[in-house]
Amino acid sequence: MSLQQALFSPRSVAVVGQSDDAGKTAGRPLKFLRQLGYAGRVYPINPRRETVLGERAWPSLAALPEPPDHVYVVTPTTAAVEAVEECGRLGVKVVTVLADGFAEAGAAGLARETRLRDVCMRTGLRIVGPSSLGIVDLRSKAMLTANAAFDETDLPVGRIFAASHSGSLIGALLTRGKARGIGFAGLVSVGNEVDLSLGEICEATLDDPGIDGYMLFLETMRHAASLHRFALAAAERGKPVLAYKLGRSAAARELAVSHTGALAGEDDVADVFLAECGIARVDTLDGLIEGLPLLARVPLATGGARRRSVGVLTTTAGGATMVVDPLASRGVTIEPASAATLARLAGGGIEVKPARMVDLTVAGARYDTMKTTLDILLTAPEFDLVLAVVGSSARAQPEATVRPVIESAGAGKPLATFVVPDAPEALAALSRAGVPNFRTPEACADAIAAALSRRAPRPMVARSAPPPVMAAGRILDEFAAGALLDRLGIARAPSVALDAGIAAAPALPFAYPVAVKVLSADIAHKTDVGGVVLGVADGDGLLAAIRKIRTGVAERQPGARVGRVLVQPMVAGIGEALVGYRVDRDVGQLVMVAIGGVMTEIARDRSLRLAPVDGATAREMLGELRGLPLLAGYRGRPAGDLAALAQAIVALSRLADDPTVAEAEINPLIVRPAGEGVVAVDALVKLAGKP
Amino acid sequence: MSLQQALFSPRSVAVVGQSDDAGKTAGRPLKFLRQLGYAGRVYPINPRRETVLGERAWPSLAALPEPPDHVYVVTPTTAAVEAVEECGRLGVKVVTVLADGFAEAGAAGLARETRLRDVCMRTGLRIVGPSSLGIVDLRSKAMLTANAAFDETDLPVGRIFAASHSGSLIGALLTRGKARGIGFAGLVSVGNEVDLSLGEICEATLDDPGIDGYMLFLETMRHAASLHRFALAAAERGKPVLAYKLGRSAAARELAVSHTGALAGEDDVADVFLAECGIARVDTLDGLIEGLPLLARVPLATGGARRRSVGVLTTTAGGATMVVDPLASRGVTIEPASAATLARLAGGGIEVKPARMVDLTVAGARYDTMKTTLDILLTAPEFDLVLAVVGSSARAQPEATVRPVIESAGAGKPLATFVVPDAPEALAALSRAGVPNFRTPEACADAIAAALSRRAPRPMVARSAPPPVMAAGRILDEFAAGALLDRLGIARAPSVALDAGIAAAPALPFAYPVAVKVLSADIAHKTDVGGVVLGVADGDGLLAAIRKIRTGVAERQPGARVGRVLVQPMVAGIGEALVGYRVDRDVGQLVMVAIGGVMTEIARDRSLRLAPVDGATAREMLGELRGLPLLAGYRGRPAGDLAALAQAIVALSRLADDPTVAEAEINPLIVRPAGEGVVAVDALVKLAGKP
């Protein structure tokens, strides 16, 4: 029996801790299994009762006539651990665990997790959860869930698989989908992912011919590698993946930490990771629920930044602008109809003003007008996607304005529809016809932007396994860091080390003015301890600078060794950049670039990618920086050498092949005028610690 | 008969251009009037027919037995202008005009507008529109609208008045409201506001005892003064006003321009203006529709920045975090329960972990648990508002989790509810009980943030009428601008003017180094034409700088007069600010502050207020700048004199009393260390043009 079968179409299931009270959480699984008519064998287990909900209750897993394919454990924590151990002994294939009290519950909880993992290792048992509200297949009716929202008899079966870190959300997706005529093949609440991760569970469904696409509700980026593997395989099969991820705000990330026990990374890291996986990310709940039909119709872009231009057809300018506003804020271009398209429209008897939108308010909400206009726009080369916005007529006269949308939807470019009034019948008709439609302007814009941003996933590059970032690593001194830059081919300022005790200034191999910096493995942030003096003009200044550094460090970091100082020529340039590399605990190797100074520190302006990157990607990263003009000819200054800056990003990103380095930051990297390259002036390198 | 009566409860109405085809736009008004049972006299006017929709058709307004109180003109443009002129001749009180072809239609359209305004001036006729889809009172059943969404017989009557620049949106608000059990007293599509503005129409309803609050859908800030007047009067009466305004993105602002003929201002100007009016602004359509009950319950803050802390109670951490995420992104604080509150909960038998949210996932979705917890949180002093998030049980067991919310809602702090699954019955029960509830996490966060941000409106200050900003104004030369700063009490760098033709450097009243700048009324942006040389060290340098400026200007702005240059000492400081004043064509006098350099130009970091401002407001403005740390002790530098900077904002904002000045910008204003003040180094002042 495959993992997929045990998870989704088990021949037999047991519910450990099944209650006799169907109103209680622990009473629900048996009720739901019977209510929907699961056809396999069901073993309710309750050692304190003869029967539960009118059926024979078994005293224990060991007393069953067979080891069930899939066991759902709904007992409290301690008993749950024991039940899992028993599953292992009996050769059960999969167990799903409801109880909490694991990773989020301190040391005792972590110890319980270790016990669960140990069972998996020893016996081959696979675990969903703990803290899983269950796993459900609406085709096999294997309703192993305690989520109250499944207490219905008419759950629509569809072709979407939903996976969620939040247990409550599988109920929200199910019921909100149902209200929109959207059905699911299956849903899973993955809980703490102590064994099977969200990505692995989704991966197990990839060859299910009844599943066309995926909805993910993510709270953390834990187990990112398995998510990446799943996403690549889904893309190969043409199955789109749409994700909502909590954590845009720091407060939300903190909540995710406290209730799942996972550590939350920064949000732009999640953004970049999902993008590189070819997973579209939405910011609205409705965008997640309503977005898949559109995602399935927008072809995946490959290579280079994709065009993102939307043509808008509307019967109400104000209604359409509600969608345009958030779309434009997300960087999507609202493209006016070209002269050729306007000419085709005029040829079809449609007179519209040349403007950003094709506004039919004046032409009127008539079937022929809508149909002709749609057919022309959907085949116009200037658009990547067409948005049709229908006003009050969508409710009052759907024949005039919604029927043409349905009839034209397959005609060319992807089509998204927003209906301005409350118009449930129009929406249902659009959904039945498979035409992407949205209930709110915000979800519509969200899904369009997500679909147009999605690119083909980057193949998993052969990278060394990420080093164990948790262990404390050693910081390289400036000389060793310099040697690493040399090896990567990143130019750096020449430097000499001087004994901090010198009484006379020696001859230097470069001209004054120079910079003097403390050289000590004890000191990570030299500036903070007064360890840097810039613009030293001559030998006397050099000696004075050394004295100043020794005094400053002695005051601000007493005990730090100041045996030597580093002397470099002052390097002038157009501006400064910061290029960094690090191994993220969730998503692995990352490379980062930022413009130096306030744009980085205050405006939080940076661009990230999974490392390593090629030159095209590095240039794309630079293009994402709002502060790029500072290096590209700002206020009449000459332009900086952006080609060399991109090359430095590429070079530093190659650390992804070096498992000994955990983190490296070049700050500042002086950007000189075009053609004159970039020069690293300082670098901080942290080695991976011992596992 | 008052304006309000003529608009909303006319004793007689006429529809000019009423069609016999109820399916056509021009056929709708009579159909809707009859369908809902308007009790007044109705005169359909159609010179080409004996009857329309089975009723007698009159050939003209002049042929009627009386001048109707309110006329709706649904003919095309040319006939519409003639009909308005006839209304004026006959002494009609109010006419609403459907046709377009006015301000948005070029010179011919503007000429038509002038004709309409002329009728108003001569006869006292008041006009709604043109481009108005109508005006409706659901109590009197005066259904003067051509919006197809009103084609229903069971339109719920409520206590909200809705006003919209977009005609389609009144249909969207009506139908989306209906689907949520939200009814309206009346709705108006204000169109181009050639005579009656949105603010004036709302103002006419202020003493209507059947109206409790206002929903505004805004596309422009045109006629801001009347909106301000209305908002002040609404606040006095305790009637909340909630607004959605298009134009967050530049693309949306451009669309508003092209389809309404209005000029769109910058979005942060609209933000500030609405805030100073005490109008809450939402960013989501559902936030507009669902937000008023919450707004009505959150007390208006007066003075100072208000506390914005929300306590969260949830049966699902993931579901609640969907609201917390956008809330925190909008700057609302998610406040943990205090030790005292946790103790009260424990005393009530509720054990929750000390955390940002009170998470009842483990305690369970039970009536007693919910009720006790809610009653404690709603009386906890640390919260300004409590958010209750209910998971799947809201659908399956509303008695356990929704009933306590309804029963506790009146108990103390304002309460907002988000229900995670699709749960129409729970939502309807909450709405019936008047408990603010939301369908999407985004609308919930949007409305909470808007309600908590709203302050009591600032009384209209006695300001001079804004000068006519449209006329081209003269730019003051640097000396005259300096005199203005002196008059305002803003310190500036000393300066002397020198003839640009001097052959020898004169003695200066201050020490070198100095800055040399071209002094010419022909040149607005000195730097752009090479008109500034900084850091001039001595007399020879001064002569060289003058030569350099003359050559540069001759090259880049040939013909500009360079008779004199201005010489100033170089002024050093902690950093630079930009303080500006201008008369905005929509909202009037504004004062602005930004940190100089890239934070202004690239990060677009600025703070605005209506001018004049007091010291507390100026300090609040500084607090809104992300870049403030640059002036407050950044990277170990001393802190700048922020008190003096605030004082300069106050001083410049007093230009609001000077009708001769259209615009003034001090850039840079050097911020010196605390206690040493600020110094204006350059100022650009533009006088108001002749009307």
Side-chain angles (χ1 to χ4, degrees):
Chain A
M1 153 155 286
S2 72
L3 176 62
Q4 189 209 341
Q5 285 174 305
L7 284 168
F8 300 104
S9 45
R11 291 159 304 185
S12 57
V13 300
V15 181
V16 175
Q18 172 67 43
S19 159
D20 187 47
D21 180 349
K24 287 192 174 163
T25 303
R28 289 176 191 145
L30 180 59
K31 181 182 181 201
F32 297 170
L33 284 161
R34 294 308 183 200
Q35 195 159 271
L36 276 201
Y38 169 66
R41 294 178 293 283
V42 180
Y43 302 106
I45 301 198
N46 186 328
R48 292 190 306 276
R49 299 188 60 88
E50 291 293 305
T51 64
V52 285
L53 305 184
E55 296 192 29
R56 171 178 178 182
W58 298 78
S60 70
L61 283 166
L64 301 184
E66 61 176 335
D69 288 342
H70 193 152
V71 173
Y72 192 19
V73 177
V74 297
T75 60
T77 312
T78 306
V81 176
E82 287 159 11
V84 169
E85 285 173 336
E86 189 160 13
C87 286
R89 282 193 295 274
L90 295 172
V92 168
K93 186 90 186 171
V94 172
V95 62
T96 296
V97 179
L98 173 67
D100 64 355
F102 292 85
E104 78 287 3
L110 284 171
R112 288 184 203 113
E113 271 209 11
T114 305
R115 279 175 70 186
L116 298 190
R117 277 207 199 85
D118 185 53
V119 176
C120 294
M121 297 276 280
R122 281 188 289 106
T123 68
L125 174 70
R126 303 309 304 264
I127 301 178
V128 177
S131 285
S132 168
L133 263 179
I135 181 162
V136 156
D137 189 307
L138 290 167
R139 299 157 306 173
S140 74
K141 317 296 183 195
M143 306 294 295
L144 296 174
T145 180
N147 185 312
F150 288 80
D151 191 5
E152 311 203 356
T153 53
D154 56 340
L155 297 174
V157 176
R159 304 181 60 80
I160 297 168
F161 185 76
S164 172
H165 282 124
S166 160
S168 183
L169 258 293
I170 61 171
L173 297 178
L174 179 86
T175 54
R176 286 174 179 255
K178 182 178 170 183
R180 287 159 173 79
I182 296 167
F184 292 86
L187 305 96
V188 62
S189 150
V190 301
N192 284 8
E193 302 173 283
V194 68
D195 173 34
L196 283 169
S197 66
L198 186 143
E200 286 172 297
I201 296 170
C202 289
E203 205 174 8
T205 70
L206 272 169
D207 292 319
D208 187 329
I211 292 175
D212 284 346
Y214 294 83
M215 264 183 213
L216 310 182
F217 185 93
L218 306 177
E219 296 189 357
T220 89
M221 297 310 295
R222 189 169 56 187
H223 306 303
S226 71
L227 186 60
H228 199 166
R229 209 164 45 234
F230 153 68
L232 284 174
E236 262 172 33
R237 288 162 178 79
K239 299 188 175 187
V241 184
L242 188 58
Y244 176 107
K245 180 180 173 298
L246 289 175
R248 288 283 186 207
S249 69
R253 292 196 295 276
E254 184 198 312
L255 290 173
V257 173
S258 65
H259 95 96
T260 66
L263 286 175
E266 287 152 289
D267 193 64
D268 58 353
V269 171
D271 243 1
V272 159
F273 180 77
L274 293 172
E276 298 221 9
C277 286
I279 296 176
R281 179 178 182 180
V282 284
D283 283 336
T284 61
L285 177 59
D286 282 348
L288 177 65
I289 295 168
E290 299 169 344
L292 265 178
L294 184 65
L295 198 62
R297 278 162 188 75
V298 176
L300 266 183
T302 48
R306 69 174 301 154
R307 290 183 63 229
R308 302 171 74 196
S309 59
V310 172
V312 182
L313 157 69
T314 186
T315 69
T316 153
T321 310
M322 284 196 293
V323 187
V324 164
D325 214 344
L327 260 185
S329 296
R330 285 164 205 237
V332 173
T333 305
I334 310 301
E335 184 80 21
S338 67
T341 299
L342 289 172
R344 285 174 68 202
L345 287 169
I350 318 283
E351 291 293 345
V352 293
K353 284 189 284 190
R356 284 265 186 168
M357 307 195 286
V358 175
D359 186 346
L360 298 182
T361 309
V362 180
R366 282 191 294 268
Y367 174 86
D368 289 343
T369 309
M370 279 295 282
K371 185 79 175 70
T372 306
T373 308
L374 271 167
D375 288 341
I376 290 169
L377 296 187
L378 285 168
T379 51
E382 64 268 34
F383 306 131
D384 296 314
L385 183 150
V386 173
L387 165 66
V389 177
V390 185
S392 297
S393 60
R395 181 177 174 110
Q397 304 160 285
E399 280 297 299
T401 49
V402 177
R403 188 160 62 90
V405 172
I406 289 171
E407 291 174 4
S408 293
K413 304 296 168 78
L415 175 67
T417 318
F418 170 58
V419 168
V420 183
D422 182 68
E425 287 164 34
L427 293 175
L430 288 163
S431 289
R432 276 194 305 275
V435 182
N437 64 89
F438 299 91
R439 294 192 170 194
T440 66
E442 297 82 24
C444 184
D446 188 25
I448 290 174
L452 288 179
S453 302
R454 190 171 64 125
R455 299 203 210 165
R458 185 147 67 125
M460 271 186 154
V461 289
R463 304 192 292 187
S464 56
V469 285
M470 301 310 299
R474 187 165 63 83
I475 291 171
L476 291 189
D477 74 19
E478 190 136 355
F479 267 119
L484 181 72
L485 295 186
D486 292 346
R487 183 159 60 76
L488 294 169
I490 297 171
R492 60 186 176 99
S495 60
V496 291
L498 301 178
D499 192 289
I502 51 170
L508 299 176
F510 37 75
Y512 287 92
V514 297
V516 186
K517 305 173 186 176
V518 65
L519 193 57
S520 167
D522 297 344
I523 296 171
H525 297 284
K526 293 185 273 287
T527 314
D528 295 353
V529 295
V532 178
V533 180
L534 300 177
V536 173
D538 52 27
D540 287 347
L542 177 56
L543 294 176
I546 295 173
R547 279 194 303 274
K548 188 172 171 193
I549 287 171
R550 293 177 69 166
T551 319
V553 171
E555 216 167 80
R556 300 187 213 178
Q557 190 177 331
R561 286 162 297 177
V562 187
R564 295 194 300 169
V565 297
L566 191 85
V567 182
Q568 291 177 320
M570 292 294 293
V571 181
I574 301 301
E576 298 182 2
L578 184 165
V579 182
Y581 164 84
R582 71 181 172 89
V583 181
D584 181 85
R585 64 142 56 218
D586 290 324
V587 310
Q589 295 97 324
L590 286 171
V591 65
M592 187 268 279
V593 64
I595 307 297
V598 298
M599 283 306 293
T600 306
E601 295 180 39
I602 294 178
R604 301 186 64 77
D605 178 32
R606 66 178 190 176
S607 175
L608 290 165
R609 287 291 187 283
L610 296 187
V613 295
D614 59 15
T617 305
R619 285 189 296 275
E620 204 180 87
M621 291 171 74
L622 293 178
E624 288 171 3
L625 296 173
R626 278 177 299 148
L628 188 65
L630 294 172
L631 298 181
Y634 184 66
R635 286 192 157 181
R637 276 184 276 174
D641 196 334
L642 300 181
L645 176 55
Q647 193 44 46
I649 297 169
V650 171
L652 194 71
S653 80
R654 291 205 187 107
L655 284 175
D657 294 327
D658 183 345
T660 67
V661 176
E663 207 176 316
E665 185 177 280
I666 306 176
N667 183 18
L669 180 69
I670 305 291
V671 181
R672 297 168 53 82
E676 298 180 26
V678 294
V679 180
V681 166
D682 204 351
L684 183 69
V685 178
K686 196 169 156 191
L687 296 183
K690 296 269 183 300
Chain B
M1 153 154 286
S2 71
L3 176 63
Q4 189 209 340
Q5 285 173 306
L7 284 169
F8 300 104
S9 45
R11 291 158 307 186
S12 57
V13 300
V15 181
V16 176
Q18 171 67 44
S19 159
D20 188 47
D21 180 349
K24 286 192 175 163
T25 302
R28 288 175 192 146
L30 180 59
K31 181 183 180 201
F32 296 171
L33 284 161
R34 294 308 184 202
Q35 196 159 270
L36 277 202
Y38 168 65
R41 294 177 294 283
V42 179
Y43 301 107
I45 302 198
N46 186 329
R48 292 191 305 276
R49 300 188 58 90
E50 291 294 304
T51 64
V52 285
L53 306 183
E55 296 191 30
R56 173 179 177 182
W58 298 77
S60 70
L61 283 167
L64 301 183
E66 60 174 336
D69 289 341
H70 193 152
V71 173
Y72 193 20
V73 177
V74 297
T75 61
T77 311
T78 305
V81 175
E82 287 160 10
V84 169
E85 285 173 334
E86 189 160 12
C87 286
R89 282 193 296 274
L90 296 172
V92 168
K93 184 92 187 170
V94 172
V95 61
T96 296
V97 179
L98 173 66
D100 65 355
F102 293 85
E104 79 287 3
L110 285 171
R112 285 183 205 114
E113 272 209 9
T114 305
R115 278 176 69 186
L116 298 190
R117 276 205 199 86
D118 185 51
V119 175
C120 295
M121 297 276 280
R122 281 188 289 106
T123 67
L125 174 70
R126 304 307 306 262
I127 301 177
V128 177
S131 285
S132 168
L133 263 180
I135 180 162
V136 157
D137 189 305
L138 290 168
R139 298 158 305 173
S140 73
K141 317 296 182 195
M143 306 294 296
L144 295 175
T145 179
N147 185 313
F150 288 80
D151 192 4
E152 311 203 355
T153 52
D154 56 341
L155 297 175
V157 176
R159 303 181 60 80
I160 297 167
F161 185 76
S164 171
H165 282 124
S166 161
S168 183
L169 259 293
I170 61 170
L173 298 178
L174 178 87
T175 54
R176 287 174 178 256
K178 183 177 168 181
R180 287 158 174 79
I182 296 167
F184 292 86
L187 305 97
V188 61
S189 149
V190 301
N192 285 7
E193 303 174 282
V194 68
D195 172 35
L196 284 169
S197 66
L198 186 143
E200 286 173 295
I201 296 170
C202 289
E203 205 175 6
T205 70
L206 272 170
D207 292 319
D208 186 330
I211 292 176
D212 284 345
Y214 293 84
M215 262 183 213
L216 310 183
F217 185 92
L218 306 177
E219 296 189 356
T220 89
M221 296 309 295
R222 190 169 57 186
H223 307 303
S226 70
L227 186 61
H228 198 167
R229 209 165 44 234
F230 153 67
L232 284 174
E236 265 172 32
R237 288 164 180 77
K239 299 188 176 188
V241 184
L242 188 59
Y244 175 106
K245 180 179 173 297
L246 290 175
R248 288 282 185 210
S249 69
R253 292 196 294 277
E254 184 198 313
L255 289 172
V257 173
S258 65
H259 93 95
T260 65
L263 286 175
E266 288 151 288
D267 194 63
D268 57 353
V269 171
D271 244 1
V272 159
F273 180 77
L274 293 171
E276 298 222 9
C277 287
I279 297 175
R281 180 179 181 179
V282 285
D283 283 337
T284 61
L285 177 59
D286 282 347
L288 177 65
I289 295 169
E290 299 169 344
L292 265 179
L294 183 65
L295 199 62
R297 278 161 188 76
V298 176
L300 266 183
T302 48
R306 70 174 300 154
R307 292 183 62 230
R308 302 171 74 196
S309 58
V310 172
V312 182
L313 157 69
T314 186
T315 69
T316 153
T321 310
M322 284 196 292
V323 187
V324 165
D325 213 344
L327 261 184
S329 296
R330 284 164 206 236
V332 173
T333 305
I334 310 303
E335 185 79 23
S338 67
T341 300
L342 288 173
R344 285 175 69 201
L345 287 169
I350 318 284
E351 292 293 346
V352 294
K353 284 189 285 190
R356 284 265 187 168
M357 306 196 286
V358 175
D359 187 347
L360 297 182
T361 310
V362 179
R366 281 190 295 267
Y367 174 86
D368 291 340
T369 310
M370 278 296 282
K371 185 80 176 67
T372 306
T373 309
L374 271 167
D375 289 341
I376 291 169
L377 296 187
L378 285 168
T379 52
E382 64 267 34
F383 305 132
D384 296 314
L385 183 150
V386 174
L387 166 66
V389 177
V390 185
S392 297
S393 60
R395 182 178 174 109
Q397 304 160 284
E399 281 297 301
T401 48
V402 177
R403 187 161 62 90
V405 171
I406 289 172
E407 291 174 2
S408 293
K413 303 296 168 79
L415 175 66
T417 319
F418 171 59
V419 167
V420 182
D422 181 68
E425 286 164 34
L427 293 175
L430 289 164
S431 288
R432 275 194 306 274
V435 182
N437 65 88
F438 299 91
R439 295 192 169 195
T440 67
E442 298 82 23
C444 184
D446 187 23
I448 290 174
L452 288 179
S453 302
R454 189 171 67 125
R455 298 203 212 164
R458 185 147 68 123
M460 269 186 156
V461 287
R463 304 193 293 186
S464 57
V469 285
M470 301 311 298
R474 187 165 62 83
I475 290 170
L476 291 189
D477 72 20
E478 189 134 357
F479 267 120
L484 181 72
L485 295 186
D486 292 345
R487 181 158 61 75
L488 294 170
I490 298 170
R492 60 187 175 98
S495 60
V496 291
L498 301 179
D499 191 286
I502 51 169
L508 298 177
F510 38 75
Y512 286 94
V514 298
V516 185
K517 305 173 187 177
V518 64
L519 191 57
S520 167
D522 297 344
I523 297 171
H525 297 284
K526 294 186 273 286
T527 315
D528 294 353
V529 296
V532 178
V533 180
L534 299 177
V536 174
D538 52 27
D540 286 349
L542 177 56
L543 295 177
I546 295 173
R547 279 194 302 276
K548 190 174 170 194
I549 286 171
R550 294 178 69 166
T551 319
V553 171
E555 218 168 77
R556 299 187 214 176
Q557 191 177 333
R561 286 161 298 178
V562 188
R564 296 193 300 169
V565 296
L566 192 84
V567 182
Q568 290 177 322
M570 292 295 293
V571 181
I574 301 300
E576 299 182 1
L578 184 165
V579 182
Y581 164 85
R582 73 182 170 87
V583 182
D584 181 84
R585 63 142 59 219
D586 290 325
V587 309
Q589 295 97 321
L590 286 171
V591 65
M592 187 268 281
V593 63
I595 308 296
V598 298
M599 283 307 293
T600 307
E601 295 180 38
I602 294 179
R604 302 186 66 75
D605 179 30
R606 67 176 188 177
S607 174
L608 288 165
R609 287 291 186 284
L610 295 188
V613 294
D614 59 16
T617 305
R619 285 189 295 276
E620 202 180 271
M621 291 171 73
L622 292 177
E624 288 171 3
L625 296 173
R626 278 177 296 148
L628 187 66
L630 293 172
L631 297 182
Y634 184 64
R635 287 191 157 182
R637 275 184 277 175
D641 196 335
L642 299 181
L645 176 54
Q647 192 44 47
I649 297 169
V650 170
L652 195 70
S653 81
R654 293 206 185 106
L655 285 175
D657 294 327
D658 183 346
T660 67
V661 176
E663 207 176 316
E665 186 176 281
I666 305 176
N667 183 18
L669 178 70
I670 304 292
V671 180
R672 296 166 56 81
E676 298 179 26
V678 294
V679 180
V681 165
D682 203 351
L684 182 69
V685 178
K686 198 170 156 188
L687 297 182
K690 297 269 183 300

